[in-house]
Amino acid sequence: MSIGLKMGLSSSSVRWLLGDVKMVLLLVGFLVACCLPSAVSAEGNGNESEELPRCEPGLLFPVWEPQEDLSFGDRFARGLAYFLAMLYMFIGVSIISDRFMASIEVITSKEKEVKIKRPNGEVQIVVVRVWNETVANLTLMALGSSAPEILLSIIEIYAKDYESGDLGPGTIVGSAAFNLLVIIAICVYVIPNDEVRRIKHLRVFFVTATWSVFAYLWLLVILKVTSPGVVDLWEGVVTFLFFPATVLTAYLADRRIYKFVTKQFRIGRGGMIVESEGHEMKSNVESGGLRIFEEEGASEEIREFEQSRRDYITMLRELRKKNPNIDADQLESMAREEILNKGPKSRAFYRMQATRKLVGGQNLMKKMQEKAASDANIDQAGKEPAERKEDDHITKVFFDPGHYTVLENVGQFKVTVVRDGGDLNLTVLVDYKTEDGTASGDQDYVSSAGTITFAPGETTQTITLEVIDDDVFEEDEHFYVRLTNARFSPTDTLTQMNGAAGQPPKFPEVQLSPPFLATVIILDDDHCGVFNLEKKDIETVESIGTYDVKVSRWSGARGRVAVPYETEEGTAKPGKDYVHVEDELIFENNDTEKYIQIQILEEDSYEKDVLFYLNIKEPKLLEATDEQGAALALKEKDESQLTEDEKIAIQGLPKLGSDDRCQIRVKESKEFKNTVDKLLQRANASMLVGTSSWKEQFIEAITVSAGEDDGGDEDEEGGEVEEKVPSCGDYVMHFLTIFWKIIFACVPPTDIAGGYVAFVTSILGIGVLTAIIGDLASHLGCTIGLKDSVTAIAFVALGTSIPDTFASKVAAIQDEYADASVGNVTGSNAVNVFLGIGIAWTIATFYHEYIKDLTGCVDRPGYVCGKFNVDPGSLAYSVFLFCSCAGVAIFVMLLRRLPQLGGGELGGPPKFKYPTSILFFCLWLFYVTMSSLEAYGVVQGF
């Protein structure tokens, strides 16, 4: 390990390299094991050149001449050359499959707008995927990962003049065994100890697992029961029709369409919405501010949209709990990073990530992080207010503030006038004058007028005003102060006003700017006051924390008064949406306003809209003077018996105004809602894996990137993440594969025609490479004495499945669920048979029955003229072995869901995890060994 580190490789790079070495050793082991029977056979006969058959030219790749009188060393060298060439072709298939999967991701990521009607009657437009996830996985995604096997089977039929071969069907069965047994064994093993991954869409898994076993049982029926050794046209067509049947049943299982089963949603562990059956479904379930909408016709679209939104809301809540003091921008940035690292991703994404990691291509995780940072920068720039272009030569004069409230006994007070902008070196003059409102000049206040001067450099001046105090009870009154005639001092010279020498002349202006009329309210201090809530209707957001409700005291401010208050429940619930309060607000003498603090509880709800009430009650005088005490005594008397002076005295006591109740409506945080909406809009991975131009593709092709997922190492002191540089292995793989990268950079970008042009071009490229692989595989087997059935399961199946192996490994570690790593394996295995065998055999049977010229054809043992003949021998035995192993594997996986045995398909405690991986791997070894022995006649087959 230390040597690797000295060469510039990180510990994770070394671990990954060791994993590759193990895979290479495994392949070499199979090469030796599979060559052993033929070598023994050749040695026993003493003349290997006569034992080995003559190789026939392939469809695209010619045979290596000469073929006669070859020594063991010659055959070994040729076999090694074929083997290495086939490996290089597999790398090419992986790279073109990268483009193919990118086009599939773009196609299946298409979105549409759907109108949904909420329980309150509101119509909302939501954006949902056009493609159902299950349908996408079983059609385009399965085709993307299994295209080489499917195309190899079809191409082999054409290459052999529509006769049956062992390479195509053998690869399909061998690949299915590798996928189900080895890939799942690896996925079980790589999960950290005591962690589990469960299949989320269990119904879909049941359906696809059933079809995957049935597909190979159906092959046995065709080969051994209905018409042994012969495939009829109806059998080929039915095999192909099982493919849409698989997609349809999986789709129905995903949609949960059952006539006699109702559904009910509830909040499960971790805040997830789970579904139980056998109860009456509720149309609207609200828990923790989350609403589930289930309407006829659009329930699936709503469910998918709401599920994604709930996942993001749950994630944001957890981030907020861990980081309570971060602002909205930081929360959004952290949420984006969380989604990129832990969010669910498609099968295509993991396949592309694994391929690029193996060949030193661009790291998708790094690209996603760069995209998130770019989006954050764009949003931040968008939040910055547009820079207003002000005229710098205009001086503005105004009151600041424009409203004053004073007590009648205040005596003198000041109002502030401000100058802003323009040239501060100039002197500014402005006139002012008081004006009557309900208050009268020289009776309630001292009238005033004059001019204030802003000397050079001064920005603030004050005007002194005076209020007249009396002992007569009065209502609150007000008057005004108006600014007029703002001007520059006539003593300023034109040179001063025009600015510095050499600069273009500026003609300064001065103008009044609102507020140039100030309002002064005089509160009568002879009254204890009338108490009112400032607002009757208040609307706030749940993220505010504490909301201050203002209580005003007018028509007097004398005495110490207590105002009781209490919150009242509405649709908002105390302890859930707000904290109930019941207390008194104390107004000291001359206090004119106080605030009641209401604590709003934050749930980070997406569409919250609840309300409650705040009531203030009759105020109480706490410290009464003799006059106020007498007035309190008079209050107990009948009003008709009071004199006018006594009535005025009673009016001086504190009393409750008309606005004694306010409604407080709590809605969702706009920032939180916007954050969730942005995450929903940017969760589409097609924007990251797709390409928009050939230039972008060629730049990616010639650029070498670090293949690590983590993207960097942490600095021990500061904890900062350093950018990961490509390792030696990344450069080696880049230069080994740069030929394929540049060639396939010519594939049209995915932005053209929605990805369909890239889809068609890529599958044509895969077809050409697959045809060459088929030729090389046949030549390899022929050269070293391997039968095509053994070559298929020992080499071709492994070569086509290695990218899927690494993709499933990454998906198992990163995904919260096991669907992307395990659930898709069974669906892919079924699709391989229904498309690879179904299409190939349908074409072949149609050709033999309707097109082929039967002139001169004579029936012979094992061959029927006019029929598509398939020797059931090795294929039927291999299928039987796979079905047996698959049954054991699926049973063990379901058994592992029991809490006593780990609680999930993947991972779990070491005492269950390791035995499961060993069992699955041993099942695969058993399958390969027995199939190989049967092919050479060591074991008797069917």
Side-chain angles (χ1 to χ4, degrees):
M1 183 72 70
S2 61
I3 296 175
L5 294 176
K6 290 178 181 179
M7 293 176 63
L9 296 174
S10 65
S11 58
S12 56
S13 301
V14 174
R15 288 194 299 270
W16 185 265
L17 182 60
L18 290 177
D20 289 342
V21 170
K22 292 177 182 177
M23 184 61 70
V24 172
L25 292 177
L26 186 62
L27 290 174
V28 174
F30 280 118
L31 177 61
V32 173
C34 296
C35 289
L36 185 60
S38 59
V40 170
S41 175
E43 183 180 355
N45 287 276
N47 189 350
E48 60 179 306
S49 62
E50 294 179 0
E51 286 293 325
L52 298 179
R54 180 177 178 83
C55 299
E56 298 295 332
L59 179 63
L60 298 178
F61 202 85
V63 70
W64 193 336
E65 299 290 353
Q67 299 187 57
E68 294 79 13
D69 300 325
L70 296 178
S71 65
F72 176 80
D74 292 336
R75 292 189 179 277
F76 180 81
R78 288 190 180 188
L80 182 61
Y82 281 131
F83 177 74
L84 295 177
M86 193 166 59
L87 285 183
Y88 197 64
M89 290 297 133
F90 280 134
I91 293 175
V93 170
S94 296
I95 294 175
I96 185 60
S97 295
D98 183 278
R99 299 291 180 190
F100 189 47
M101 297 302 276
S103 67
I104 291 174
E105 180 71 28
V106 171
I107 292 171
T108 57
S109 296
K110 295 299 181 185
E111 297 174 335
K112 64 179 180 180
E113 291 185 350
V114 176
K115 292 183 178 180
I116 61 174
K117 188 175 182 180
R118 299 191 173 278
N120 60 6
E122 177 188 353
V123 176
Q124 182 184 358
I125 298 177
V126 299
V127 178
V128 298
R129 293 286 180 94
V130 174
W131 283 75
N132 175 269
E133 181 183 0
T134 298
V135 174
N137 284 333
L138 288 177
T139 53
L140 295 183
M141 294 293 182
L143 178 62
S145 61
S146 304
E149 297 98 316
I150 295 172
L151 291 176
L152 180 62
S153 178
I154 298 172
I155 291 171
E156 186 186 36
I157 289 291
Y158 175 77
K160 290 185 175 294
D161 195 22
Y162 300 97
E163 298 293 341
S164 65
D166 293 330
L167 196 61
T171 299
I172 288 177
V173 181
S175 176
F178 188 89
N179 291 345
L180 183 62
L181 301 174
V182 177
I183 290 181
I184 293 180
I186 293 174
C187 291
V188 171
Y189 176 79
V190 297
I191 303 298
N193 289 340
D194 299 322
E195 289 188 18
V196 295
R197 302 287 189 272
R198 294 169 62 90
I199 294 176
K200 180 181 179 183
H201 301 290
L202 192 58
R203 286 191 183 93
V204 177
F205 174 74
F206 283 149
V207 171
T208 56
T210 301
W211 278 111
S212 68
V213 175
F214 170 79
Y216 296 91
L217 291 175
W218 172 248
L219 281 183
L220 280 179
V221 172
I222 293 176
L223 296 172
K224 299 295 294 183
V225 178
T226 57
S227 53
V230 173
V231 177
D232 295 325
L233 180 60
W234 73 268
E235 292 174 324
V237 173
V238 170
T239 302
F240 172 73
L241 291 180
F242 281 138
F243 169 67
T246 303
V247 176
L248 179 61
T249 52
Y251 174 71
L252 295 180
D254 182 54
R255 296 276 302 219
R256 297 170 172 85
I257 299 179
Y258 301 96
K259 292 183 179 179
F260 306 106
V261 180
T262 56
K263 306 182 288 296
Q264 183 177 14
F265 289 92
R266 60 183 174 83
I267 300 294
R269 294 182 61 186
M272 292 296 298
I273 304 300
V274 297
E275 183 184 57
S276 57
E277 298 175 354
H279 302 282
E280 187 66 25
M281 183 180 67
K282 294 181 180 180
S283 61
N284 183 12
V285 178
E286 181 172 353
S287 179
L290 300 179
R291 295 178 178 177
I292 316 301
F293 302 102
E294 297 288 334
E295 286 88 7
E296 294 293 333
S299 61
E300 177 64 16
E301 286 80 3
I302 300 170
R303 184 177 67 84
E304 291 178 357
F305 180 80
E306 291 292 331
Q307 183 63 53
S308 298
R309 185 160 63 187
R310 287 194 298 273
D311 291 342
Y312 292 147
I313 290 173
T314 302
M315 178 189 61
L316 288 168
R317 282 180 176 171
E318 295 300 320
L319 290 174
R320 173 99 51 178
K321 288 179 182 179
K322 295 177 182 178
N323 307 275
N325 298 322
I326 62 174
D327 58 25
D329 293 336
Q330 291 176 314
L331 178 66
E332 182 179 340
S333 177
M334 293 177 65
R336 284 175 179 161
E337 185 175 352
E338 190 82 4
I339 288 175
L340 298 182
N341 292 331
K342 298 183 180 179
K345 303 173 184 68
S346 69
R347 186 177 178 182
F349 179 90
Y350 287 121
R351 175 67 182 263
M352 295 174 63
Q353 185 182 6
T355 300
R356 297 189 182 191
K357 183 174 185 178
L358 288 172
V359 301
Q362 185 179 28
N363 192 314
L364 285 180
M365 294 302 295
K366 181 179 178 181
K367 184 176 180 180
M368 293 178 77
Q369 291 169 356
E370 291 173 351
K371 173 68 176 174
S374 175
D375 289 343
N377 292 334
I378 292 174
D379 290 344
Q380 189 64 31
K383 292 177 182 178
E384 294 177 1
E387 190 175 328
R388 294 188 304 171
K389 197 172 183 180
E390 298 285 355
D391 293 328
D392 57 1
H393 65 286
I394 297 179
T395 300
K396 297 180 179 180
V397 182
F398 51 90
F399 285 109
D400 185 19
H403 188 280
Y404 295 84
T405 300
V406 296
L407 292 174
E408 190 180 47
N409 62 357
V410 70
Q412 291 185 343
F413 68 97
K414 298 179 182 295
V415 297
T416 303
V417 182
V418 174
R419 66 178 286 186
D420 184 38
D423 189 351
L424 292 179
N425 294 321
L426 303 179
T427 301
V428 176
L429 307 177
V430 62
D431 299 334
Y432 69 91
K433 183 180 181 181
T434 57
E435 298 178 0
D436 286 350
T438 56
S440 301
D442 297 329
Q443 292 183 9
D444 299 305
Y445 70 94
V446 177
S447 299
S448 179
T451 300
I452 57 176
T453 302
F454 290 92
E458 288 184 339
T459 58
T460 302
Q461 287 289 352
T462 58
I463 303 172
T464 301
L465 302 175
E466 184 177 356
V467 176
I468 300 174
D469 189 13
D470 57 39
D471 295 329
V472 179
F473 168 71
E474 297 174 310
E475 296 289 340
D476 292 343
E477 300 173 316
H478 68 276
F479 67 97
Y480 306 101
V481 186
R482 184 182 297 275
L483 297 177
T484 59
N485 192 23
R487 60 199 182 278
F488 290 114
S489 171
T491 59
D492 287 330
T493 63
L494 184 59
T495 302
Q496 289 175 318
M497 293 192 296
N498 284 342
Q503 297 294 328
K506 294 182 179 179
F507 300 96
E509 298 179 25
V510 60
Q511 62 185 30
L512 296 176
S513 179
F516 50 80
L517 181 68
T519 302
V520 181
I521 297 177
I522 304 174
L523 300 182
D524 183 70
D525 63 338
D526 300 310
H527 192 293
C528 289
V530 178
F531 296 86
N532 271 314
L533 291 167
E534 184 183 36
K535 297 179 180 178
K536 298 187 68 173
D537 293 290
I538 297 173
E539 185 173 299
T540 185
V541 295
E542 62 174 351
S543 61
I544 194 171
T546 300
Y547 187 88
D548 293 332
V549 181
K550 184 178 179 181
V551 180
S552 300
R553 181 187 199 182
W554 56 277
S555 291
R558 178 169 294 180
R560 192 166 183 261
V561 179
V563 181
Y565 62 88
E566 180 182 9
T567 55
E568 178 185 336
E569 177 182 335
T571 56
K573 306 301 178 185
K576 175 178 178 290
D577 301 302
Y578 70 97
V579 176
H580 173 71
V581 289
E582 184 176 358
D583 203 349
E584 291 183 339
L585 201 61
I586 307 299
F587 282 79
E588 301 292 343
N589 188 44
N590 291 336
D591 282 346
T592 58
E593 58 184 40
K594 288 286 185 179
Y595 292 89
I596 300 174
Q597 291 189 340
I598 305 295
Q599 186 176 354
I600 306 297
L601 299 180
E602 184 174 11
E603 294 181 303
D604 281 341
S605 299
Y606 183 79
E607 290 184 335
K608 189 169 191 173
D609 190 356
V610 294
L611 56 89
F612 65 102
Y613 306 94
L614 175 65
N615 300 313
I616 58 174
K617 302 178 181 179
E618 196 67 33
K620 299 178 293 185
L621 191 61
L622 297 180
E623 298 175 359
T625 63
D626 293 340
E627 294 179 357
Q628 292 169 339
L632 287 172
L634 291 173
K635 194 174 181 180
E636 303 298 328
K637 293 184 179 181
D638 187 359
E639 186 177 355
S640 60
Q641 299 177 358
L642 298 176
T643 64
E644 193 65 30
D645 290 340
E646 289 175 336
K647 291 180 180 180
I648 293 175
I650 292 176
Q651 288 180 356
L653 295 175
K655 61 182 179 180
L656 197 61
S658 58
D659 298 334
D660 60 345
R661 177 183 174 91
C662 72
Q663 173 184 283
I664 303 175
R665 182 178 297 273
V666 182
K667 305 197 74 173
E668 79 282 351
S669 168
K670 294 296 183 183
E671 292 179 343
F672 182 84
K673 184 175 183 295
N674 291 338
T675 298
V676 175
D677 290 341
K678 289 177 183 177
L679 295 177
L680 284 167
Q681 293 170 3
R682 292 166 181 170
N684 196 330
S686 65
M687 296 184 295
L688 300 168
V689 301
T691 53
S692 58
S693 66
W694 273 286
K695 177 182 177 181
E696 178 183 352
Q697 293 183 170
F698 278 103
I699 290 176
E700 287 185 5
I702 63 176
T703 303
V704 58
S705 302
E708 296 300 320
D709 288 335
D710 51 19
D713 296 331
E714 290 189 2
D715 182 71
E716 295 182 358
E717 297 180 358
E720 296 182 357
V721 178
E722 298 179 357
E723 184 178 355
K724 188 70 179 178
V725 297
S727 65
C728 179
D730 294 326
Y731 279 105
V732 171
M733 289 304 300
H734 174 71
F735 286 112
L736 284 177
T737 59
I738 192 171
F739 170 76
W740 295 121
K741 291 180 180 180
I742 293 178
I743 290 295
F744 297 130
C746 298
V747 173
T750 56
D751 277 7
I752 298 177
Y756 287 98
V757 177
F759 177 87
V760 174
T761 307
S762 298
I763 201 169
L764 291 176
I766 294 174
V768 172
L769 291 184
T770 302
I772 297 176
I773 288 174
D775 293 345
L776 291 173
S778 295
H779 296 341
L780 170 63
C782 179
T783 300
I784 64 176
L786 280 180
K787 292 189 176 182
D788 281 352
S789 60
V790 178
T791 304
I793 63 174
F795 294 107
V796 185
L798 265 67
T800 57
S801 299
I802 285 178
D804 284 327
T805 304
F806 291 115
S808 294
K809 173 189 172 184
V810 175
I813 297 173
Q814 293 186 359
D815 251 13
E816 183 180 0
Y817 299 100
D819 297 71
S821 53
V822 174
N824 291 322
V825 168
T826 53
S828 178
N829 286 348
V831 170
N832 284 354
V833 173
F834 298 146
L835 289 183
I837 300 293
I839 294 176
W841 285 6
T842 299
I843 294 173
T845 54
F846 183 84
Y847 175 81
H848 280 274
E849 294 188 19
Y850 296 103
I851 299 177
K852 186 175 181 179
D853 184 5
L854 300 180
T855 303
C857 180
V858 179
D859 289 345
R860 57 185 184 274
Y863 189 88
V864 180
C865 290
K867 295 292 184 179
F868 177 55
N869 296 268
V870 178
D871 182 11
S874 298
L875 179 60
Y877 188 76
S878 179
V879 169
F880 172 77
L881 286 175
F882 169 74
C883 290
S884 303
C885 295
V888 174
I890 293 175
F891 175 76
V892 171
M893 289 174 61
L894 295 178
L895 200 63
R896 281 175 50 85
R897 290 182 67 89
L898 296 175
Q900 300 86 344
L901 298 178
E905 287 78 8
L906 306 183
K911 63 180 179 179
F912 299 122
K913 182 176 73 171
Y914 297 140
T916 302
S917 296
I918 294 173
L919 172 63
F920 277 43
F921 194 77
C922 289
L923 286 175
W924 180 66
L925 288 178
F926 172 77
Y927 161 78
V928 173
T929 303
M930 295 302 294
S931 296
S932 301
L933 293 176
E934 192 279 336
Y936 288 102
V938 178
V939 174
Q940 185 64 35
F942 296 140

